[in-house]
Amino acid sequence: PGFGGQKFIPESLDKIRAIRAMLNEKNLETDIQVDGGVYVENVREVLDAGANIIVAGSAVFGGDAEENTRCFLNLINGGK
């Protein structure tokens, strides 16, 4: 993704997993940020792959920002 509203690239999950594994192997506490195409439908998968910082522009502001934020926070905090 290069601009708002583009779709998440699914192959990025493998890259996130690989980076997280490398960091864990080296005992490094490093953030992995994902920016691009993260929505409530895929945020759990991105977090489970090893990302711990999520940037969600269109997913939050494309509609009811308060409700979208509530949904994200629920998923990030372990909800379904």
Side-chain angles (χ1 to χ4, degrees), residues 20-63:
R20 179 54 64 201
M22 180 185 70
L23 293 169
N24 289 347
E25 180 180 306
K26 296 180 185 279
N27 291 321
L28 297 173
E29 293 185 29
T30 304
D31 293 323
I32 298 175
Q33 176 177 308
V34 177
D35 178 358
V38 180
Y39 288 85
V40 295
E41 296 82 10
N42 65 354
V43 68
R44 176 55 35 210
E45 193 172 16
V46 172
L47 293 169
D48 288 347
N52 63 321
I53 298 176
I54 303 300
V55 178
S58 298
V60 171
F61 296 106

